[in-house]
């Protein structure tokens, strides 16, 4: 791997390690580009506090810490500062205002919910509801059409347990869209390493038929995820099994 754009920090409440440890782990692994994409905060008009993302009040520290590391390690690695975020239409305007004064390099789309918290179940929970899968794919496409996201994190995160025909119909629609837009499909290292339902072989078979390229996203929640060789090799082997070309860098974000 030459680049990883899917890296979390302890601010999201379910990752561990200091920012510096992630940078040093990335250098140890030989990465040329490290993109931080912690879970983006939302502004909730009812004061709700999410347990799975940083608070708006942590943004200053996030950018200060990572900018300092970017400058300190500039001769060793390129550091980008971004976010992983859902596309929730009614919350986007407030999020834009929140981030307006920060130097955000990029965002990736990780649709963990199809409605604002706490009114939506996590999309990784099993469901055989076709309309839920349709809404998930619709939201991803609608979100990508805004131009605000560089790529889609764990695109088969929605854990559809219904018929294979329905799974293929909607995920084929997503893969065809990403192919037409020249957006790579993520092979999610965290999911592969932990044996989760994503990134699945049946999804990669759909990606193969659609002609998609792939990018490996570490989805790092610990520094060690950036240099452990066995999970990376598993992801590469999956790409090779389905004849999928691996993209080293996102467009415009090379070394």
């Amino acid at each position: 791997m030459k680049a990883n754009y899917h890296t979390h920090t302890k601010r999201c409440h379910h990752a561990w390690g200091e920012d510096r440890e992630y940078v040093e782990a990335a250098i140890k692994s030989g990465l040329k580009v490290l993109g931080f994409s912690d879970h983006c905060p939302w502004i909730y008009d009812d004061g709700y506090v999410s347990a799975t993302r940083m608070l708006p009040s942590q943004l200053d520290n996030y950018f200060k810490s990572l900018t300092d590391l970017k400058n300190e390690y500039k001769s060793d690695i390129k550091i980008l500062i971004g976010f992983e975020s859902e596309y929730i239409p009614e919350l986007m305007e407030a999020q834009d205002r929140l981030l307006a004064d920060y130097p955000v390099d990029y965002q990736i789309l990780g649709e963990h919910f199809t409605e604002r918290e706490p009114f939506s179940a996590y999309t990784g929970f099993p469901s055989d509801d076709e309309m839920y899968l349709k809404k998930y794919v619709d939201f991803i496409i609608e979100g990508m059409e805004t131009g605000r996201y560089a790529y889609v994190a764990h695109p088969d995160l929605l854990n559809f347990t219904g018929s294979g025909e329905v799974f293929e119909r909607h995920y084929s629609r997503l893969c065809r869209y990403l192919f037409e837009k020249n957006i790579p499909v993520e092979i999610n290292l965290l999911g592969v390493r932990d044996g989760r339902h994503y990134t699945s072989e049946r999804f990669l078979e759909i990606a193969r038929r659609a002609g998609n390229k792939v990018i490996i996203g570490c989805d790092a929640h610990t520094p060690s995820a950036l240099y452990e060789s066995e999970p990376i090799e598993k992801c590469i082997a999956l790409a090779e099994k389905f004849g999928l070309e691996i993209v080293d860098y996102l467009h415009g974000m090379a070394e």
Side-chain angles (χ1 to χ4, degrees):
M1 289 181 64
K2 296 181 180 178
N4 175 57
Y5 302 95
H6 197 166
T7 313
H8 295 282
T9 77
K10 66 180 182 180
R11 296 171 185 83
C12 71
H13 313 292
H14 59 280
W16 296 266
E18 300 301 322
D19 298 342
R20 180 180 300 276
E21 293 179 281
Y22 284 92
V23 174
E24 292 179 350
I27 294 170
K28 175 181 177 179
S29 74
L31 286 172
K32 304 301 182 184
V33 177
L34 178 64
F36 282 91
S37 53
D38 210 357
H39 293 282
C40 192
W42 294 111
I43 297 294
Y44 299 105
D45 56 11
D46 60 358
Y48 174 78
V49 177
S50 171
T52 60
R53 63 189 70 247
M54 74 169 74
L55 299 171
S57 60
Q58 294 177 295
L59 285 170
D60 285 352
N61 175 264
Y62 183 63
F63 279 92
K64 172 69 166 59
S65 173
L66 298 183
T67 299
D68 287 349
L69 291 167
K70 176 188 289 193
N71 294 330
E72 180 178 349
Y73 288 95
K74 63 183 178 182
S75 62
D76 301 301
I77 193 168
K78 179 177 182 178
I79 295 175
L80 301 171
I81 309 173
F83 295 102
E84 179 184 10
S85 183
E86 292 76 21
Y87 174 70
I88 308 293
E90 65 268 26
L91 298 181
M92 305 314 296
E93 185 177 342
Q95 188 182 81
D96 285 345
R97 289 196 301 269
L98 176 66
L99 301 180
D101 295 330
Y102 293 97
V104 181
D105 290 317
Y106 72 106
Q107 290 195 59
I108 60 177
L109 176 59
E111 200 72 0
H112 303 89
F113 305 98
T114 57
E115 297 179 57
R116 57 148 291 185
E117 296 168 78
F119 306 123
S120 172
Y122 169 53
T123 51
F125 292 156
S127 172
D128 62 0
D129 184 349
E130 180 179 359
M131 295 310 296
Y132 188 34
L133 176 58
K134 180 181 184 301
K135 181 178 181 180
Y136 172 81
V137 172
D138 286 347
F139 265 34
I140 290 177
I141 292 173
E142 186 177 330
M144 294 305 295
E145 280 292 292
T146 67
R148 65 195 296 140
Y149 306 103
Y151 80 94
V152 182
H154 36 59
D156 59 336
L157 176 63
L158 193 138
N159 189 7
F160 184 73
T161 57
S163 78
E165 179 184 352
V166 171
F167 181 97
E168 181 153 335
R169 180 187 313 134
H170 291 288
Y171 276 128
S172 292
R173 185 162 58 93
L174 176 58
C175 286
R176 286 194 300 268
Y177 171 82
L178 296 175
F179 172 77
E180 291 167 2
K181 299 296 183 179
N182 196 29
I183 298 167
V185 166
E186 184 189 70
I187 294 180
N188 187 273
L189 185 147
L190 175 62
V192 171
R193 184 195 69 189
D194 292 354
R196 301 183 182 185
H197 66 278
Y198 62 91
T199 299
S200 70
E201 292 199 5
R202 65 174 179 164
F203 178 79
L204 291 179
E205 171 59 24
I206 293 171
R208 182 193 67 78
R209 293 200 302 270
N212 297 111
K213 296 178 182 179
V214 297
I215 190 166
I216 298 172
C218 288
D219 201 353
H221 287 73
T222 61
S224 62
L226 296 170
Y227 62 76
E228 292 175 341
S229 60
E230 184 177 351
I232 294 172
E233 292 300 325
K234 284 183 178 180
C235 292
I236 293 171
L238 272 175
E240 291 176 346
K241 178 176 182 178
F242 291 93
L244 297 164
E245 179 183 344
I246 297 175
V247 174
D248 290 319
Y249 300 104
L250 290 174
H251 180 69
M253 297 187 194
E255 182 183 0

